[in-house]
Amino acid sequence: MTGYLLRRLLQLLPVVIVVSLVLFLLLRLMPGDPTTEILGQEATAEDRAALRAELGLDTPVTQQFTDWITGIVTGDLGTSWLTTEPVDAMIGERLGATVELGIIALLMAVFIGIPAGVLAAVRRRTKTDAALNSISVVALSAPHFYLAALLILVFGLWLRVLPPSGYVPFTEDPIANLEHIVLPAVTIGSTMVAVTMRQTRAALLATFSEDYIRTAEATGLSRRRIVLVYALRNAVVPVVTVLALQVGALMSATVVTETVFTVPGMGTLIVDSIFDRDLPVVQGAVLMVVVFVLLVNLLADIVYAWLDPRITY
């Protein structure tokens, strides 16, 4: 296992470098001049030229990319052009809210999506199955911005049971934190729950047709034991794959959701930095997201072996 982990970690390095290059070039192709955003429209050409030299924008693009990669290797993600704060400090301030949203969404997918999928598979072609499938289709079809606006309208403005926007750190006030995090977490988690439910249902139905399940039924084991002990453990392996792939979609969903609910997380940091043309912050934040997604997929591969002893590395 140790050798496998080392090989996988080494394989991540080329991926990170390629993603960094693509990200760097795409940001440099964005329209607009960062010096205009920093100095304003009234700045003179001399002031803009001086600022470009100070930020290193007057050097060749290859040199800019080399300097950025060198900084990453040494643990320096750069400095914000707008606020002059270290990028890693800005990410650290915003990371907590996004991580909390992501953890709650994943917990919803595991503790709601998987049981719902098991129930739909066990009661296949019944009203329960039809109802769960209908709910999942609605959840998958509703865009995040629409669902967020609907939740704000119903629970924040009409019923007034939950705050429609804002964020309170858990360390400051746990109750207020939970009140503020419910609506954005449901917005993000609804899609993950629906995808997990449908994948669990499909995987279980495929497992039910296996020979060892028929053998277990022939020996007189209870239906509950067959489903939960024998079928589910094998069916959950592809579900783990789907959950790992959903992490990337989850990160993109946080950009929209955090913006709608004004949650000060990584999503709003990226959006605000794009509008401000604060490229070092965008580069550092997106790179952190990419590395996180890659590590989650590596973790999923490790979980495979724990769930299914037949899988070895």
Side-chain angles (χ1 to χ4, degrees):
M1 178 63 74
T2 303
Y4 172 78
L5 288 176
L6 291 175
R7 289 196 303 272
R8 285 296 303 273
L9 290 174
L10 290 176
Q11 291 171 3
L12 295 183
L13 291 178
V15 177
V16 173
I17 293 174
V18 171
V19 171
S20 303
L21 177 60
V22 173
L23 172 64
F24 185 88
L25 294 177
L26 288 177
L27 291 176
R28 292 307 184 279
L29 293 175
M30 288 176 55
D33 187 356
T35 60
T36 302
E37 298 292 334
I38 298 173
L39 298 176
Q41 298 289 342
E42 304 300 327
T44 64
E46 291 76 11
D47 292 337
R48 293 179 183 175
L51 182 58
R52 290 183 66 85
E54 180 183 347
L55 299 177
L57 295 175
D58 58 342
T59 59
V61 176
T62 54
Q63 182 61 43
Q64 296 180 38
F65 179 73
T66 303
D67 293 340
W68 183 48
I69 291 296
T70 303
I72 292 174
V73 173
T74 58
D76 181 14
L77 294 177
T79 304
S80 169
W81 290 346
L82 199 62
T83 65
T84 68
E85 294 181 63
V87 174
D88 53 357
M90 296 178 67
I91 293 175
E93 294 174 358
R94 303 291 193 97
L95 192 60
T98 300
V99 169
E100 184 179 4
L101 278 174
I103 290 176
I104 294 176
L106 284 173
L107 291 177
M108 289 175 60
V110 172
F111 292 105
I112 298 178
I114 293 179
V118 173
L119 181 62
V122 171
R123 301 190 177 181
R124 182 186 182 188
R125 297 177 181 174
T126 64
K127 292 182 179 180
T128 302
D129 185 24
L132 290 173
N133 277 291
S134 299
I135 294 173
S136 68
V137 170
V138 173
L140 290 172
S141 303
H144 287 104
F145 66 87
Y146 176 80
L147 180 59
L150 184 62
L151 292 175
I152 290 174
L153 181 64
V154 175
F155 295 98
L157 301 180
W158 288 354
L159 301 179
R160 297 183 180 276
V161 294
L162 293 171
S165 63
Y167 176 77
V168 177
F170 185 82
T171 54
E172 293 184 8
D173 190 340
I175 302 300
N177 170 266
L178 294 176
E179 291 177 346
H180 283 81
I181 210 71
V182 167
L183 295 183
V186 170
T187 302
I188 298 175
S190 59
T191 302
M192 296 191 66
V193 169
V195 172
T196 305
M197 189 279 286
R198 295 177 70 86
Q199 180 61 44
T200 303
R201 177 184 181 275
L204 266 180
L205 291 177
T207 305
F208 287 161
S209 62
E210 295 290 339
D211 292 338
Y212 69 90
I213 296 297
R214 288 193 289 268
T215 302
E217 292 174 344
T219 58
L221 293 177
S222 66
R223 183 67 172 173
R224 180 187 182 91
R225 181 176 177 82
I226 292 173
V227 172
L228 298 180
V229 177
Y230 296 99
L232 183 59
R233 183 162 185 175
N234 290 288
V236 82
V237 173
V239 176
V240 172
T241 303
V242 171
L243 284 174
L245 294 176
Q246 282 292 304
V247 171
L250 183 150
M251 298 308 299
S252 63
T254 57
V255 174
V256 177
T257 304
E258 289 180 359
T259 302
V260 175
F261 288 99
T262 63
V263 176
M266 293 285 289
T268 52
L269 177 64
I270 293 173
V271 171
D272 294 341
S273 301
I274 290 175
F275 281 117
D276 294 334
R277 299 296 187 273
D278 199 349
L279 302 190
V281 179
V282 181
Q283 292 169 178
V286 174
L287 185 62
M288 288 290 292
V289 171
V290 170
V291 172
F292 176 74
V293 172
L294 292 174
L295 291 178
V296 168
N297 281 272
L298 175 59
L299 178 62
D301 289 344
I302 298 173
V303 172
Y304 294 157
W306 176 69
L307 292 172
D308 190 346
R310 293 173 299 178
I311 300 176
T312 59
Y313 299 105

